[in-house]
Amino acid sequence: MKVLIAQPIPTAGIDLLKRHYDVLESDHVLGREELITAIGDKDALVCAMHKIDAEVINAGKNLKIISKLAVGYDDIDIKFAGERGIMVTNAPGVLTQTVSELVFAHILALARRLPEADHYVRAGNFKQWSFDLMVGGEIKGKTLGIIGFGAIGQRLVPMAKGFGLKVVYSNQQGEIPEFENDADVKYATKDELLKVADFVVLLVSLTVETKHLITARELALMKTTAFLINLARGPVVNEADLVRALQDKTIAGAGLDVFEFEPNVSAELLAMPNTILTPHIGSATVEARAELSLKAARNVVDTLEGRGCENIVNREYLRTE
Ligand code: GLV
């Protein structure tokens, strides 16, 4: 059988796939037309960042599985794929630690104004130490608000406790029994959370319900001293509303790893000192990327060999004949 890997990925997964199949691995991120041509006779597609819509799916005449090297799969038309009998899989679990660590990198960098401080030194402004130079805030005793309390949100809890942060979470699924008796972890509605949190971290999947979960109304509920951190998907936040809140100083700052119109970033955000902007690097560690590659490859092998795969995300739409 034939597998297309639509962009360079770590070798672990490629080696596994090559032991079983005829693999075409692209040495660059395939452009849309290249993808449509290359997918024609392939049984499996391994991809990380392509928009996989009906046109791409229809071009895959033999396609049986689309294996995404990520947790989020909002850029794949999973319903259309399912209706054509094509399984879509994702790779949860392997990036939980890595993404959680980036959340804390953003929290600490915002609290201690690291980008501003770094620019200050590089610009040659550091002439003299002074008591009021780049003064930030401790995070100990503050409240971390987590919106979307899945594996990554829950992994933040021990880290938060280590730093002496209290945790409030809101979740579409409601309260999580495991945390019911944990005095440092409280369940709240989204609005309650926004009012009390010093750091609001977004970790929800992008769906019709979560698009623009954060707009001017939600930002207005936040404390003026609070920071918004988005490691979920850009469209979860109305970016124009966020820019306005930052300009009007109704919140203190933002840490953004994803953007509404990614990879475009609004000029206003680029100009703001109280933001940290990273280029969608949530899963970007050597460890997580190797595991992602391996997991995506295993998903392909398990599916094509008919062993069943626990990471199929479009079961509900799968046409079974
Ligand atoms: C990365 O953004 C992912 O969804 O894994």
Side-chain angles (χ1 to χ4, degrees), residues 169-199:
Y169 71 94
S170 80
N171 205 20
Q172 250 177 355
Q173 290 72 34
E175 192 165 5
I176 308 271
E178 193 186 327
F179 293 93
E180 256 169 28
N181 299 318
D182 190 326
D184 298 321
V185 181
K186 297 255 176 300
Y187 174 76
T189 64
K190 182 184 76 173
D191 285 5
E192 284 162 5
L193 179 153
L194 289 166
K195 287 180 199 160
V196 299
D198 298 293
F199 300 94

Side-chain angles (χ1 to χ4, degrees), residues 6-240:
Q7 68 281 304
I9 65 169
T11 51
I14 305 175
D15 295 344
L16 175 66
L17 288 168
K18 280 188 173 167
R19 286 205 288 277
H20 290 80
Y21 309 116
D22 178 4
V23 177
L24 176 62
E25 44 171 317
S26 179
D27 62 0
H28 62 283
V29 178
L30 288 180
R32 187 175 167 84
E33 290 312 316
E34 289 179 301
L35 175 62
I36 286 175
T37 306
I39 205 175
D41 61 345
K42 303 298 182 296
D43 299 276
L45 168 67
V46 177
C47 59
M49 50 189 302
H50 291 89
K51 186 168 178 56
I52 309 293
D53 55 17
E55 191 189 1
V56 177
I57 293 168
N58 274 332
K61 302 289 176 229
N62 296 334
L63 205 56
K64 297 168 185 66
I65 168 169
I66 300 166
S67 176
K68 172 107 196 239
L69 265 107
V71 173
Y73 47 85
D74 46 277
D75 44 9
I76 302 179
D77 190 338
I78 61 167
K79 181 168 184 286
F80 187 77
E83 286 164 0
R84 285 217 34 222
I86 299 166
M87 292 175 221
V88 179
T89 57
N90 73 340
V94 292
L95 44 66
T96 308
Q97 181 66 22
T98 281
V99 179
S100 310
E101 290 182 8
L102 188 67
V103 170
F104 266 91
H106 273 253
I107 289 176
L108 289 166
L110 285 166
R112 298 302 299 272
R113 305 171 60 180
L114 292 194
E116 278 178 87
D118 179 88
H119 289 147
Y120 183 85
V121 175
R122 286 176 203 277
N125 294 328
F126 186 30
K127 306 281 189 238
Q128 195 179 13
W129 186 90
S130 79
F131 264 106
D132 55 2
L133 182 59
M134 293 288 156
V135 176
E138 285 187 356
I139 67 170
K140 184 169 182 214
K142 303 273 167 52
T143 298
L144 172 62
I146 305 170
I147 300 184
F149 202 54
I152 299 167
Q154 294 177 32
R155 182 66 60 87
L156 292 175
V157 170
M159 297 182 182
K161 287 184 178 180
F163 278 109
L165 283 159
K166 290 175 285 226
V167 176
V168 177
Y169 71 94
S170 80
N171 205 20
Q172 250 177 355
Q173 290 72 34
E175 192 165 5
I176 308 271
E178 193 186 327
F179 293 93
E180 256 169 28
N181 299 318
D182 190 326
D184 298 321
V185 181
K186 297 255 176 300
Y187 174 76
T189 64
K190 182 184 76 173
D191 285 5
E192 284 162 5
L193 179 153
L194 289 166
K195 287 180 199 160
V196 299
D198 298 293
F199 300 94
V200 174
V201 177
L202 305 175
L203 289 169
V204 291
S205 319
L206 177 62
T207 62
V208 178
E209 289 85 38
T210 60
K211 177 157 192 228
H212 285 180
L213 190 71
I214 303 295
T215 64
R217 188 193 84 82
E218 286 73 28
L219 292 162
L221 295 176
M222 287 175 62
K223 298 182 190 179
T224 52
T225 50
F227 297 94
L228 181 75
I229 295 162
N230 188 6
L231 267 82
R233 285 290 182 267
V236 172
V237 177
N238 180 320
E239 204 162 282

